[in-house]
Amino acid sequence: MENNKENVMGIMPVGPLLLKLSIPMMISMLIQALYNIVDSIFVSRVSEAALTSVSLAFALQNMMIAVAVGTGVGVNAALSKSLGEKDSKGANKAADNGIFLAVCSYLVFLVIGLFFLPLYFGTQTDDPLIYQGGVEYMFICCVFGPGLFLACMLEKILCSTGRTHYAMVCQAAGAICNIVLDPIFIFGYCGEFLSGTRGAAVATVIGQMCGALLGIYYCMRRTPEVQVTFKGFRPDGATIGRIYAVGAPSIAMQSVGSVMVYGFNKILMGFTATAVAVFGVYFKLQSFAFMPVFGLNNGMVPIVAYNYGARKGHRVIRTVIWSCGIALVILTLGLVSFQMVPEKLLLWFDASEQMLGIGTVALRIISWSFPLAALAIVLCSMFQALGRGVYSLYMSLSRQLVVLLPMGWLLAKTGRLELVWWAFPIAEAVGLLVGFVYLFVVWKQILRPMIEEEKRNTEQ
């Protein structure tokens, strides 16, 4: 029975398998996106300064998520590959060392939260209200944030075994808990000290811990292929190396996004703090389009990694083609929404007239990058699953740093804020071209030889 469950990623038709693994994750990601939006909607009701504080905090908060998710991606790929190779010992080592790395990651951000937040926010704003709100928000998220790292890791372990429905429950429980607690804390029903941005942060860390506790339960009780135990545990250098061979580029790739947000906030602050608030709102809104694509990728990565380990090249290619098609549909719908009703989307955040004027233009221009991003995101995940995470890093560098920030800076020199937003479609087009170059390399070095090997084995 267990063997059939383990082998489903190698025998079930690719389309239905991808949907089976992805839909629970897409639903949970949509719930997570809903939390992101609701969180900012409540904060915006406090003041625009509070919304700007949370927007400035996003880069560091995204860095935390990058480390948590990137390490989990490395464990996901290593564990799935071990299962594909029928190496249960290697799978167990990947899970144990992954949880150990999640704890270590939290300790790093604990130090940042205790000592470096004044420096971080001081370089971005001299407004005392925005500064204070940001420091208070991130202090709670960093110091009381072990739930984030454990939840992300345990969800990736569940995904590696094909149990994405349990990962969905973990994410959904955390997000729903957060949504319920947000108005209670933000609007001061638990006292003035835990209101405003502090209240938003408290609701966030409680929700994260809720997801982590559920993840612990499911990993201990519902994953017979992987035995998570720390009896006699010692960090294994070889296993950690395999995890970070994929995970480190993923962390770096997502961290590039944090650098981009930090840099772009500084560019926008040169115009007005309202532009920074608009940029923060954009990221909340676009998550509703992008999160389902990330959920799709969470279903795609273990399928690709498993079949790569099992040397089934045709299944790898079919999985990637299916994923590209679904991602294009999702983000094209996002493009249409941003083009047709940007004002209504912005009014969710109690947008002022100035914010509406800036935001309507921004949403319509940036959203032209969505279809390009759909293909780029799938290619990045494919490279990670095939052990070529460094290609994903180079793509992200092209999309979010090497092109985007310099282009945004140059366009800002015109003094016209509306032109700055065009940096996003331009950078996305360049990043996708870089991805196609790496796709050609992967085809020659990995996919074509694997397909030829598979064909020879079939003929014999």
Side-chain angles (χ1 to χ4, degrees), residues 382-420:
M382 181 195 73
F383 296 147
Q384 291 169 353
L386 294 176
R388 299 295 179 93
V390 69
Y391 292 170
S392 301
L393 172 59
Y394 292 154
M395 280 187 67
S396 290
L397 285 172
S398 300
R399 295 167 57 207
Q400 301 185 66
L401 207 60
V402 176
V403 177
L404 181 59
L405 280 184
M407 184 60 64
W409 179 79
L410 285 173
L411 292 173
K413 291 297 182 182
T414 65
R416 296 175 57 187
L417 177 58
E418 68 273 15
L419 293 182
V420 175

Side-chain angles (χ1 to χ4, degrees), residues 186-305:
I186 291 173
F187 297 137
Y189 293 108
C190 289
E192 185 178 349
F193 181 76
L194 293 179
S195 64
T197 56
R198 281 193 299 262
V202 170
T204 294
V205 298
I206 292 175
Q208 290 166 351
M209 187 55 68
C210 177
L213 291 174
L214 270 176
I216 291 171
Y217 171 78
Y218 286 131
C219 284
M220 292 296 184
R221 299 296 182 89
R222 304 298 172 87
T223 55
E225 304 92 338
V226 180
Q227 302 299 319
V228 179
T229 175
F230 288 97
K231 185 177 180 180
F233 170 78
R234 290 184 179 180
D236 185 82
T239 302
I240 291 174
R242 285 193 295 273
I243 290 171
Y244 279 127
V246 174
S250 178
I251 292 170
M253 178 180 68
Q254 295 183 70
S255 298
V256 165
S258 294
V259 175
M260 179 275 290
V261 171
Y262 178 86
F264 223 81
N265 278 338
K266 289 184 71 67
I267 292 172
L268 295 175
M269 194 64 84
F271 288 92
T272 170
T274 301
V276 175
V278 166
F279 193 44
V281 166
Y282 158 73
F283 265 100
K284 303 296 183 179
L285 290 171
Q286 62 92 27
S287 69
F288 215 74
F290 279 79
M291 283 294 190
V293 177
F294 295 142
L296 172 72
N297 283 357
N298 283 341
M300 181 193 82
V301 166
I303 300 174
V304 172

Side-chain angles (χ1 to χ4, degrees), residues 341-352:
V341 290
E343 300 92 345
K344 292 182 179 179
L345 296 175
L346 290 163
L347 285 173
W348 291 353
F349 301 86
D350 201 26
S352 62

Side-chain angles (χ1 to χ4, degrees), residues 364-393:
R364 282 183 170 147
I365 292 175
I366 298 175
S367 61
W368 286 112
S369 66
F370 286 7
L372 301 172
L375 298 178
I377 291 169
V378 172
L379 288 180
C380 282
S381 294
M382 181 195 73
F383 296 147
Q384 291 169 353
L386 294 176
R388 299 295 179 93
V390 69
Y391 292 170
S392 301
L393 172 59

Side-chain angles (χ1 to χ4, degrees), residues 2-14 16-18 20-21 76-77 79-84 86 156-164 225 298-310 312 314-316 319:
E2 291 179 12
N3 191 45
N4 287 337
K5 288 182 180 179
E6 178 185 333
N7 288 333
V8 68
M9 286 188 285
I11 60 175
M12 186 174 177
V14 166
L17 175 62
L18 181 62
K20 176 187 175 184
L21 296 186
N76 190 333
L79 204 158
S80 297
K81 189 170 185 290
S82 293
L83 290 176
K86 309 299 186 292
K156 295 300 182 185
I157 291 173
L158 291 168
C159 290
S160 300
T161 64
R163 291 173 174 82
T164 53
E225 304 92 338
N298 283 341
M300 181 193 82
V301 166
I303 300 174
V304 172
Y306 183 99
N307 286 284
Y308 175 39
K312 296 182 178 181
H314 72 287
R315 290 181 62 81
V316 171
T319 303

